[in-house]
Structure formats: structure tokens, C-alpha cells
Amino acid sequence: MRSHYCGDVNKSHVGQEVTLAGWVNRSRDLGGVIFLDLRDREGLIQVVYDPDMPEVFKVASSLRAEFCVQVKGIVRARPESQVNSQMRTGEIEVLGTELTIINAADPLPLSLDNYQNNSEEQRLKYRYLDLRRPEMTQRLMFRAQVTSAVRRYMDTHGFLDIETPILTKATPEGARDYLVPSRTYKGEFFALPQSPQLFKQLLMMSGFDRYYQIVKCFRDEDLRADRQPEFTQIDIETSFLSSAQVREITEDMVRGLFQELLNVDLGKFPVMTWQEAMRRFGSDKPDLRNPLELVDIADLVKDVEFAVFKGPANDAEGRVVTIRVPGGAVMSRKQIDDYGKYISVFGAKGLAWMKVNDLAAGLEGIQSPILKFLNEDVVNALLARTEAQSGDILLFGADNATVVAEAMGALRLKLGQDFNLLQGEWRPLWVIDFPMFEKVDGGWHAVHHPFTAPSSVTAEELAANPGAAVSDAYDMVLNGVELGGGSVRIHKQKMQSAVFNILGIAEEEAQEKFGFLLEALRYGTPPHAGLAFGLDRMVMLMTGASSIRDVMAFPKTTTAACPLTNAPSPANPQQLAELGINVVVKNSEKAE
């Protein structure tokens, strides 16, 4: 039905007859000549209909936006004065000779122009229309280019594309599983995979030493802009490679993606330990475009009269930091109070501050409500350590180390945005040497997942001091967003059992949930390591979209619902009976 895509016609086709098919983007009658903008996935082209072909002209006069049509005509060059440099096809147009309406369109329930202000509910309910918008079309086409480039890279570097099961067994990955009832095993359930973690490890045990998969994963968790109940991973696993070698391969792949698709050279990725990232930026995924840093000052204020500083400064689990904001002395008291309210969400109890109005004037040039608690030596030491200049402001955080990191780390990001401090467009890095475990409600919890190997300790040493263990794990971070994370995996049964024990997974439970893994570890398991990238998140960053929902064809809402299909929905009673399931209905809402 077509000889060319609309966006592919150019000056080389002048004088040729073309057949096009697509949607009417816009139609206008200018002095008896009808100009039709025809659109398909590759772009727009202008088609002209003259009144000297009355039958065709009559059909053209009846067209409205989003009619699906077929056009035949002759390509001709536009007059110089009518060339549209904003259009890919702006140097040519098609003189229409035939026109067929394939399917008419009713008035649309939402706007498709560049300035649409449709609600997200509308956009998702009529997603098939929303995806016609060039912006959305281009994003999905870009996503296809990303996956194509990833496959080419993986294939040429000896990786095998191997599928893993979708119906599997529940695993403790830090989020709730989606459960699938079994008709043949009534009362028993499969789980949709949160990741292919265990299966890709089993593939390493099977001798497939380089695996990859672009795979759907599922997590029934609270959602936000960069989370969905179903999402796509670029999943990678290798045998006989160290963590540094895995980082080298995957960094090379990502650099190649940005170079090929965006013409951006990311350069060599710096490597930073988790400890350094938390100390300097209060985050394990720091945005290096932001030059602000957290500066520790506990040693300077441990003897001051100000209890807000003195208490945390003398507490082994406390921390006192400051952020110097260049030019920040212009802040009003209201702005400072607003920042204090902002960090209160993270548990901070207040925000102390110090304006450096005139550095040369000594204490006379300093303005701060806490100045009366600080002697001149302390103030001078603070100014020297932060390298403060006239016109700067120092903002202080003092509390337990976790609250300080979260609150001041978030404040750092907000200040960077508010004061337009971001430098450069792309700043990648690797964060390594994460803690193996963290305390949650009095028990140990795996920071990555329970199959991550510790660095340079025996099972006995790990069991003796879990809090001191560092994992052989690594995250790739770009502009403050975690692109992907991975680790060296445990490949010995004794170590895996020790980790399960630390996590409070009793031997009986470990056998029930992971008996197949523990047994597999007995039969010559090679050392192996891997990494998984969030494809949706990567494409979101590369296209400048604000949400992963804008780079997915049919996403869910923030409440994990699908307005297009009205899913989830109640199950047929007969199906439930076959599955042996009784449903509890709460408050006359959807079945749970």
C-alpha cells in the first residue's frame, strides 16, 4: 500500500511517483488549493491537491485530523520561498493525483499537537492515540535502536541470548512478588520473576559463561516516576571474570550506545567507593554535575556550647556537616526556612545557617543565629575548611549519620537545581564496595541481594562480623540515576549458607526456597559475576523524558492500573473455582 515512508521522501525523488499511507496530521484550504500534512512513523510530508482534479479535490476537502489515508502523487521541489527548514521533507512536496480514505476518524478524545496538556489518565486510556504523537513515536523508535545496539554488542562479544522462565518460585529480592495460581496444583502458586537472578547463575553453572537477555521483570511495590510493576532489564552474567572486568565490558557497551545514538563521548568512568560517595555527597548515586559537597565538621564543633552540634559531634553514630553554597548569601530568611521544611521530610529537625557577607571583616562580616555559640577560632576553622568566600552561605546538618546523609544529600541536589549549579551534560561513575548488610528492624538485610559475594573474607569471618563486611558489588550511575547494578556472586555453598544464616533464613527455609541452588553449588560452580541495567530508565535518560512511562508503549499508572484495558479486574467465578481460590472483597472495591 506504500512505496515510501513519508519522512524518507527527499529531493532525490523529484519527478517520481510515490505511494504513501498514514494519518492526516493537518489539512488546510488556502485559496482553493488544499495542503495536506501526512504523517507516519518516519515523519511528515506535505501533499498538495489542486481543484483541476475535482473528484480527488472533493475527497481531500472532506478530510479531518487522524483520517487514515493512502496518497499517490508526483514528488516536486518546493519553490525556494516555501522551503521549510524545520521539516525533514521541507524541500519537497507531493502533487497529489489520487487519494483514498482507508478509515475515517471520529473527533479525538485528546489533543495530539505539540502543546497537548492531556492528563496522564487520558494519555494512558487512549494510548494508541497518544503514541501517534511524534514525540512518543520517536521515543519508542529510539528505544528499539537501544535494544538493537545492545544485542549487536553482546552478540559480537561472545554473549548468548538465553531465555529464562517467567513462571518461577518466589525469592527474597526486597519487593513483593506477583503470584500466579496454578490450576493443576490447586492452592499452590508460581511467582513472576523480580529478576532472572538465580536462573542466570544456574546458566553459569551449566557452562554458558556469557549470557544476556532483554527480559521482563515484575515487582508488586509502591510506585513512583521511575518505577513500574513490570519493567525491562538488560540482564548480563559472566563466568571467570572479575568485577573490574565486568565493569570494563559493560562500561564499553554503554559508552558505545551514547556515542552511536547521541554522538556523546562519556569518556572513562571514574570509580568511587560507597564510603566516599556517602561522605562527600550523602548518596550512593551522586550526581557529579553538581559541584556542592558535604563537608564534615564534627571535629571542629565537638566542644562548642551549641548542643545541636555538640551532641552528634561526640556520638559515634552521629554526624555534623555543612554545605557551602557559592553566592547563597542572597537567600532570604523565608528561603532558608523553606529549605528547612524540605529536609524535615528526611527526618532533619532544622537547618542552621551562616552567611559570609564580608570575609575580610572577620566576625563582623558573618551573619548567623548560631554565631553566639561559636568562638572566633571555630568560625575561622569552618571558613577555612569550606573555603568560603564573601557572598557564600553555609548550611548545616547535625543528627545521626543516616538522617544527615539523606537530608543533606537531598538538600544538595535541590540547591544545585535552584542555583543552576549543574556543570556538564553527562557525568557517569561507578560506585563500588557497598556494605554487605544493613540493619533493618534489629536484623540484617542484604544491601544488594543475598547472592552477592563479600570481598576478601571467609564464611567464618563474615559470620563473626557481618556489619564490617564489604560486598564485591558495583553500581553504574549517570547524572544521579542508577543505570544498573551488579556484583560478583557467591559460588561456594558454605558462603551462601553463611549469608542465609546472617539474614535470618533458617536452614529449613533455605532448603525450601533455595535448595536447588544450594545443591547446584556442590557441583563445581565457577566464579561468576553479572550486572543488570534498567532499560526503561536508560532510555528515559537518553531521551530526556521525565518518566519511564513516557518511554514504554503501554505502561501502568502510579497505582499499577491500566486505564486502557481496565486491568486489574475481577476474575470469572468459574476460573476462581477451578483454581480453588476464594476472593475477599474489601469495601465494595476491586477484588484483592
Side-chain angles (χ1 to χ4, degrees), residues 71-242:
V71 167
K72 287 187 180 180
I74 305 298
V75 181
R76 66 184 186 185
R78 292 198 198 190
E80 191 69 32
S81 61
Q82 296 178 20
V83 169
N84 185 349
S85 60
Q86 303 303 311
M87 287 178 66
R88 182 172 156 191
T89 59
E91 293 182 305
I92 53 92
E93 62 187 12
V94 173
L95 177 61
T97 58
E98 296 182 33
L99 176 60
T100 303
I101 297 177
I102 299 173
N103 212 337
D106 290 342
L108 301 184
L110 72 172
S111 170
L112 300 189
D113 63 34
N114 291 334
Y115 308 102
Q116 60 85 24
N117 59 351
N118 308 307
S119 69
E120 185 166 75
E121 186 80 10
Q122 284 179 302
R123 291 181 58 201
L124 296 185
K125 181 175 181 179
Y126 299 101
R127 190 62 162 184
Y128 46 88
L129 295 178
D130 186 57
L131 291 178
R132 291 185 191 176
R133 292 193 298 118
E135 179 181 47
M136 293 300 297
T137 301
Q138 289 160 15
R139 286 172 179 166
L140 287 193
M141 291 176 67
F142 185 89
R143 182 186 176 111
Q145 291 177 314
V146 170
T147 57
S148 176
V150 167
R151 291 186 189 282
R152 287 198 310 273
Y153 183 90
M154 292 282 103
D155 292 344
T156 57
H157 285 78
F159 287 81
L160 301 175
D161 183 357
I162 303 176
E163 295 178 353
T164 53
I166 293 297
L167 295 177
T168 182
K169 192 177 183 70
T171 59
E173 297 251 2
R176 295 184 180 92
D177 292 303
Y178 277 102
L179 297 179
V180 180
S182 169
R183 184 179 59 82
T184 52
Y185 297 92
K186 287 186 178 181
E188 298 186 10
F189 296 82
F190 294 103
L192 300 182
Q194 296 183 36
S195 83
Q197 182 62 43
L198 294 181
F199 287 104
K200 64 182 180 180
Q201 289 189 240
L202 292 171
L203 285 171
M204 297 303 103
M205 301 172 192
S206 305
F208 297 98
D209 61 318
R210 292 196 175 199
Y211 141 96
Y212 84 97
Q213 188 181 185
I214 298 177
V215 60
K216 278 281 190 179
C217 301
F218 307 86
R219 292 181 185 175
D220 188 6
E221 60 183 350
D222 294 333
L223 304 176
R224 50 185 186 267
D226 62 346
R227 295 287 174 92
Q228 280 280 293
E230 55 178 313
F231 57 96
T232 305
Q233 280 187 185
I234 303 170
D235 207 51
I236 300 168
E237 196 77 7
T238 68
S239 296
F240 305 111
L241 293 183
S242 66

Side-chain angles (χ1 to χ4, degrees), residues 373-575:
F373 300 112
L374 311 176
N375 62 44
E376 186 171 3
D377 288 342
V378 170
V379 172
N380 288 336
L382 289 171
L383 298 175
R385 181 166 295 182
T386 58
E387 300 180 355
Q389 303 296 317
S390 296
D392 295 350
I393 190 172
L394 303 183
L395 300 174
F396 299 92
D399 210 306
N400 70 65
T402 300
V403 170
V404 167
E406 292 181 356
M408 299 303 283
L411 179 61
R412 168 184 173 267
L413 294 178
K414 185 164 178 57
L415 290 166
Q417 294 286 348
D418 292 352
F419 282 79
N420 296 315
L421 298 176
L422 302 190
Q423 301 170 357
E425 188 175 5
W426 303 103
R427 292 293 302 275
L429 80 154
W430 287 103
V431 178
I432 65 170
D433 294 348
F434 287 80
M436 187 81 174
F437 306 103
E438 61 183 351
K439 277 281 188 181
V440 178
D441 298 328
W444 292 111
H445 176 78
V447 171
H448 272 73
H449 55 62
F451 316 109
T452 299
S455 293
S456 307
V457 294
T458 65
E460 291 79 10
E461 290 169 334
L462 183 69
N465 193 1
V470 173
S471 62
D472 199 351
Y474 35 84
D475 283 359
M476 182 187 289
V477 177
L478 180 63
N479 293 359
V481 175
E482 179 194 330
L483 280 189
S487 66
V488 172
R489 322 303 189 187
I490 296 169
H491 69 282
K492 292 186 177 181
Q493 188 193 63
K494 186 177 181 181
M495 179 65 79
Q496 187 64 76
S497 295
V499 170
F500 286 159
N501 188 55
I502 291 167
L503 295 175
I505 301 174
E507 185 175 346
E508 184 178 344
E509 181 184 0
Q511 282 297 327
E512 180 198 349
K513 292 183 176 180
F514 308 110
F516 64 95
L517 173 69
L518 293 170
E519 182 175 7
L521 290 171
R522 293 167 48 198
Y523 302 118
T525 299
H528 53 287
L531 184 146
F533 291 102
L535 174 64
D536 313 298
R537 199 175 298 175
M538 182 183 292
V539 177
M540 178 185 74
L541 272 181
M542 296 179 79
T543 59
S546 59
S547 165
I548 62 171
R549 292 188 293 277
D550 281 339
V551 297
M552 302 171 76
F554 298 102
K556 307 292 188 292
T557 65
T558 53
T559 58
C562 176
L564 175 64
T565 63
N566 198 32
S569 58
N572 184 299
Q574 183 178 348
Q575 288 179 302

